[in-house]
Amino acid sequence: MSEPLIPQFDDDTDDGERMLAIICSKGNLDMAYPGLILGNAALGEGVNTHLFFTFWGFDMIVKSRMNNLQFSPAGNTALHLPMKDMRLPQAFAPAMTGPATSMLKKQLAELDIPEVPDFLDQIVAAGGHLWACRLSADMGKLGESDLRDDVEGIISASDFIEMTKGAQLLFI
Amino acid sequence: MPTTIMNGREIPVDAEGFLTDPSAWDEDLATVLAANIGIELTDEHWKVLRFLREDYATQGETATTRRVQSVGGVPTKTQFQLFPKKPAKKMAYIAGLPKPRGCV
């Protein structure tokens, strides 16, 4: 009798463990999600994952801002109206930030995609690491007390590059 | 369709070894599946597995780690402790269900 067929999870060795570094540089609601979704997926595959928040992406970890990220259709010609394939005329787009944000949040909630702060909670619970950019903190006159408590440190770009040696890297 | 012999029975599986027929699963088999990947089942594991089975029966899809937390009530951190490194796939395997197709 042959051995049973068992899935190979390839997780029994720490040699050459995969590491993923995600640089989150955007603070628009729609651009917060790619890093969160990919980071969460990587953690679920046993990949050591570090997220670095810089420039506009800093808002994702600033306590007073993280609940209120906005989505603007301005400059985004791929924004379609509920009628399939109908585009929102760009001339109207700048006035649509409020309703567009509400609609995006509703669509995400329907799929049980968490809001940004909850999503970061889940990422940290799954073993992900959060880092804040020193320059962004200095420019915004923000300190550790302004950030989520689970941000592990405010570090320089060099620190992050050094820490993620050998990692696969995503810039968002 | 490939099959494999486990617990003295012929079990239909996919190319990787995940069960393809949820009805071929029972709790005895879960113990064998868990042992195959180095997990000894405790009451905490069973809470997750029973949720996955019940949720699949009503939803027709395997719950993601997010759903196991938000609907099943088992925190993400606990899931990673019980089913190390790759909880979604390991939970699905032991529960005799397909890998979850949801992204989150």
Side-chain angles (χ1 to χ4, degrees):
Chain A
M1 190 168 71
S2 60
E3 288 292 306
L5 180 60
I6 298 168
Q8 294 302 308
F9 290 103
D10 293 329
D11 62 348
D12 49 2
T13 170
D14 281 338
D15 298 338
E17 188 180 4
R18 271 180 78 181
M19 187 193 285
L20 178 65
I22 305 179
I23 298 175
C24 299
S25 74
K26 304 283 197 297
N28 288 353
L29 182 62
D30 55 323
M31 290 310 291
Y33 277 96
L36 298 174
I37 292 168
L38 291 163
N40 183 62
L43 288 160
E45 290 301 308
V47 178
N48 183 7
T49 301
H50 293 259
L51 290 91
F52 184 67
F53 298 90
T54 186
F55 275 81
W56 320 118
F58 215 69
D59 280 11
M60 293 168 70
I61 52 167
V62 174
K63 282 189 280 197
S64 61
R65 302 174 185 166
M66 62 190 188
N67 287 295
N68 297 306
L69 300 186
Q70 308 274 295
F71 167 53
S72 170
N76 178 8
T77 57
L79 193 278
H80 297 280
L81 296 169
M83 298 77 82
K84 193 171 189 276
D85 295 341
M86 181 92 86
R87 286 199 169 87
L88 176 74
Q90 277 293 297
F92 301 136
M96 298 296 285
T97 302
T101 300
S102 300
M103 178 158 290
L104 180 58
K105 284 195 173 188
K106 183 165 161 273
Q107 288 175 329
L108 291 164
E110 279 169 7
L111 294 173
D112 192 31
I113 310 289
E115 298 237 5
V116 170
D118 290 350
F119 214 153
L120 284 169
D121 288 347
Q122 182 173 325
I123 282 172
V124 170
H129 303 278
L130 312 183
W131 302 97
C133 163
R134 163 60 55 201
L135 179 62
S136 304
D138 291 348
M139 282 173 67
K141 298 189 168 44
L142 296 164
E144 279 178 7
S145 62
D146 298 303
L147 307 180
R148 291 173 58 97
D149 296 338
D150 46 16
V151 171
E152 294 180 36
I154 301 178
I155 61 173
S156 70
S158 318
D159 293 338
F160 186 72
I161 293 295
E162 198 173 47
M163 180 191 313
T164 55
K165 182 180 177 183
Q168 294 172 297
L169 190 139
L170 278 171
F171 180 85
I172 293 167
Chain B
M1 189 192 293
T3 59
T4 192
I5 307 283
M6 283 186 288
N7 219 17
R9 291 191 285 138
E10 194 171 13
I11 311 284
V13 292
D14 68 11
E16 286 181 81
F18 283 78
L19 268 62
T20 51
D21 178 5
S23 68
W25 182 93
D26 60 26
E27 296 202 350
D28 282 346
L29 184 62
T31 308
V32 176
L33 294 168
N36 283 346
I37 58 171
I39 292 175
E40 192 177 336
L41 297 179
T42 64
D43 289 349
E44 282 194 292
H45 292 94
W46 278 112
K47 184 181 174 196
V48 175
L49 298 174
R50 294 201 175 105
F51 168 72
L52 282 169
R53 292 293 301 187
E54 285 162 18
D55 194 61
Y56 185 86
T58 57
Q59 303 297 314
E61 263 185 44
T62 306
T64 60
T65 51
R66 171 76 192 162
R67 191 170 166 84
V68 172
Q69 172 174 281
S70 62
V71 182
V74 180
T76 302
K77 202 167 190 168
T78 308
Q79 296 177 47
F80 273 82
Q81 284 161 356
L82 295 172
F83 304 94
K85 292 202 171 178
K86 302 192 181 185
K89 286 182 179 169
K90 288 182 176 178
M91 294 187 299
Y93 174 66
I94 298 171
L97 300 173
K99 285 183 273 190
R101 59 181 272 282
C103 282
V104 177

